[in-house]
Amino acid sequence: GCDPDRDAILPGYTCETLNVSTHEKRYGGGHIHFGFSPEWIKSIHENLYNPLVRLLAITCGNINISTTKYPELEIERANYYGKPGRFRLQKHGIEYRTPSNSWVTNNKAIELMFDGGKLAFELLCKPEKGKHIIDTYLESTVNSILTANKLLSAEILREIGI
């Protein structure tokens, strides 16, 4: 079994185990792991995880959608594993679970994912600017990820400077 996931966007989310023996489809995950120093992990207040994951949705979630060659499959995957706010806490940091694996064979997308992850952390360190980005783009990001709206994702990324 896998560690239970959390959701930084859906209030009251509770992880449920899916019986994959009766589920006919498998969805390749392109999860992104962010490692933190042990000191940082001990010192970070859990209230920072949700804003960080929301920023990762706005950056990396939109990058995944804007670069995917498989929008129809992204929509199917989002019903089970690819919800915009899904993450797991790990001993080494955070595992952002939203992106499919469609980006891992695209050199430009890989580069953008690094840029997106870096920007999410920079915005977390600038709370006023980060809150503004979340307040402005989270709702449209959720829409773009759940509907695999490549144009909306690209527009959001352009507006935030990616």
Side-chain angles (χ1 to χ4, degrees):
C2 296
D3 297 328
D5 62 0
R6 298 178 181 203
D7 197 297
I9 298 172
L10 295 174
Y13 169 76
T14 302
C15 180
E16 294 180 23
T17 304
L18 181 66
N19 181 354
V20 295
S21 68
T22 62
H23 188 66
E24 296 178 5
K25 296 189 178 194
R26 300 296 296 153
Y27 307 98
H31 310 153
I32 305 169
H33 291 253
F34 296 92
F36 311 137
S37 72
E39 296 78 29
W40 199 80
I41 291 172
K42 288 177 189 173
S43 69
I44 188 172
H45 193 276
E46 192 162 332
N47 289 342
L48 291 179
Y49 291 127
N50 284 348
L52 174 59
V53 173
R54 291 172 184 162
L55 290 164
L56 289 170
I58 293 166
T59 59
C60 296
N62 277 313
I63 290 165
N64 181 68
I65 294 302
S66 71
T67 61
T68 188
K69 295 178 183 175
Y70 314 103
E72 299 83 18
L73 295 175
E74 300 287 353
I75 294 169
E76 282 188 52
R77 186 177 181 282
N79 287 321
Y80 292 97
Y81 303 109
K83 300 280 189 221
R86 295 293 161 83
F87 72 103
R88 286 183 180 151
L89 296 178
Q90 300 290 354
K91 291 178 186 175
H92 60 270
I94 282 184
E95 171 189 357
Y96 180 55
R97 300 185 46 77
T98 299
S100 74
N101 63 5
S102 66
W103 66 273
V104 300
T105 58
N106 177 332
N107 287 339
K108 182 63 176 168
I110 292 169
E111 189 177 308
L112 288 170
M113 283 292 193
F114 280 104
D115 293 343
K118 182 179 173 188
L119 179 58
F121 278 91
E122 288 172 1
L123 291 168
L124 185 67
C125 293
K126 299 176 182 175
E128 286 183 30
K129 187 171 183 180
K131 183 178 181 332
H132 172 73
I133 295 291
I134 291 169
D135 291 347
T136 304
Y137 296 105
L138 186 62
E139 186 176 335
S140 55
T141 290
V142 169
N143 180 281
S144 70
I145 292 171
L146 295 178
T147 63
N149 187 329
K150 292 171 64 85
L151 294 175
L152 179 56
S153 286
E155 179 183 330
I156 293 167
L157 293 170
R158 193 169 34 260
E159 290 180 14
I160 64 171
I162 293 180

